[in-house]
Amino acid sequence: MPIRFGSPVTARRLAAAIGLSALVATSAQAQDIPMPAEDAGLHAQLPEAMRDRGTIRVVSTFGYAPQQFYGEDGVTPEGFSVDLAKALGAVAGVQVEFTNASFDSLIPGLDARRFDMAIAAMSATEERGAKVNFVIYEKAGAQLLVAGGNPKKIGGLQDLCGLTVASLKGSLHNQVIEQVSAKCVDQGKQPVRLDTYDNSDSVYQSLLTGRTDANYRDASPLIHVAKMSEGRLEVVGPEYPDHPYGIAIAGDNADFAKVIAAALDVVIKDGTYQAVLDKWGLGNLSVESAVLTPIGSPASAYPTPPSAIGIAFGQ
């Protein structure tokens, strides 16, 4: 079956928006990682329709390098999420098919069975886990991205009072910004305005044009885009603890979630997982083993990071 992409958000488009060809260099610098062998036992445990189809339908939010993005040709999926999905598919003995979608449409797409799983740097939380199964696969932190030179002198979340923050629709980080805004008001300061966008290149463009003052989210893509922007964007402040990422799978597809968790353990043990992380500069974000949190798991089943609000405001 052909690869489907929805509305592409490519590295080249982002480069054009920022005016830098360097943003498309990531794919050229990366090396292919050998794929693991098929595990016949896990292949036999796949849903029958998936075995017959021969593919796992993966949905993601392309334009989020180095996690997931399009290569220099504008159509080839690349990044850590892509290589990990391919490795999991190899263990399960099937191909993987990628589709691009907006972040807030991922879980509804899983519920409707348009997709089999989402690998999209999605924070695994109890709230989302009420709708999907999660297989936790990567640690995460969060930081702030601002225009080069840091014109608003932002040193952390506590400095966002009265400013405008750009974010993705449906992002968990929007809740953090809403909590920051409430803290600002409690201190007699102006609230934070939150502007949300469908994709990452719109977020970056809003910073470059001065429509927004900061973007708060996963540290790895922000560090990447700041490095490639040659000073037009920069990361500021500390890295705040954040929820780990989880592969999301529809709540009524629990058997498939078990297969993916087992496949992740295979690639962790054989070294493929660490090699893929290292390839994309994410080697310090590895987990020791797959953690499956079935739909409806209690809050205690999810790793809970220290409060970014408490760190920022000294509580």
Side-chain angles (χ1 to χ4, degrees):
M1 297 179 69
I3 295 173
R4 301 192 304 268
F5 294 117
S7 300
V9 181
T10 67
R12 186 172 293 281
R13 278 181 58 195
L14 180 55
I18 299 180
L20 295 170
S21 60
L23 280 173
V24 301
T26 304
S27 58
Q29 296 169 358
Q31 299 298 317
D32 289 337
I33 302 295
M35 288 292 102
E38 176 182 338
D39 184 309
L42 290 180
H43 178 78
Q45 295 174 44
L46 287 172
E48 182 178 359
M50 196 177 297
R51 292 199 308 271
D52 291 344
R53 191 172 63 235
T55 58
I56 298 173
R57 300 168 301 177
V58 181
V59 65
S60 195
T61 54
F62 289 89
Y64 209 56
Q67 298 288 343
Q68 58 267 346
F69 63 101
Y70 290 130
E72 213 171 328
D73 60 4
V75 296
T76 302
E78 299 194 19
F80 171 66
S81 299
V82 173
D83 284 348
L84 179 60
K86 289 179 178 178
L88 296 176
V91 172
V94 291
Q95 299 295 311
V96 288
E97 170 190 307
F98 297 98
T99 298
N100 184 39
S102 62
F103 192 84
D104 59 348
S105 72
L106 299 183
I107 291 178
L110 293 170
D111 287 342
R113 287 300 186 98
R114 291 193 298 273
F115 315 114
D116 300 311
M117 66 183 189
I119 307 183
M122 181 185 293
S123 300
T125 66
E126 180 189 13
E127 180 181 1
R128 289 173 175 156
K131 300 177 181 179
V132 298
N133 302 286
F134 272 120
V135 178
I136 295 174
Y137 68 96
E138 184 182 353
K139 297 175 183 176
Q143 285 190 277
L144 286 159
L145 183 73
V146 301
N150 193 8
K152 297 299 176 70
K153 307 304 178 187
I154 297 170
L157 292 172
Q158 70 280 0
D159 296 327
L160 298 179
C161 303
L163 302 182
T164 301
V165 172
S167 190
L168 291 174
K169 293 178 180 177
S171 171
L172 182 71
H173 299 110
N174 298 349
Q175 298 176 20
V176 176
I177 297 304
E178 290 168 356
Q179 293 168 12
V180 170
S181 186
K183 275 289 185 183
C184 293
V185 173
D186 289 345
Q187 294 181 350
K189 300 176 182 178
Q190 292 296 312
V192 181
R193 173 176 169 172
L194 180 63
D195 286 356
T196 58
Y197 298 87
D198 289 329
N199 51 61
S200 294
D201 62 343
S202 296
V203 169
Y204 300 144
Q205 185 72 351
S206 74
L207 291 172
L208 291 167
T209 58
R211 293 196 307 273
T212 62
D213 303 303
N215 171 223
Y216 177 72
R217 57 171 156 170
D218 321 68
S220 61
L222 299 190
I223 293 170
H224 173 82
V225 74
K227 179 180 178 181
M228 296 298 178
S229 74
E230 297 181 349
R232 298 192 66 185
L233 295 168
E234 65 178 274
V235 174
V236 297
E239 181 172 331
Y240 296 97
D242 205 359
H243 295 274
Y245 298 154
I247 299 169
I249 296 167
D252 61 356
N253 207 2
D255 289 342
F256 176 56
K258 293 176 183 177
V259 171
I260 291 300
L264 179 57
D265 273 332
V266 169
V267 298
I268 288 174
K269 291 175 182 177
D270 73 9
T272 302
Y273 168 75
Q274 189 64 51
V276 172
L277 280 169
D278 291 342
K279 168 182 173 178
W280 296 106
L282 303 171
N284 62 320
L285 301 179
S286 62
V287 296
E288 295 181 358
S289 62
V291 176
L292 171 62
T293 54
I295 185 173
S297 293
S300 59
Y302 296 89
T304 303
S307 168
I309 304 301
I311 294 171
F313 289 89
Q315 297 178 350

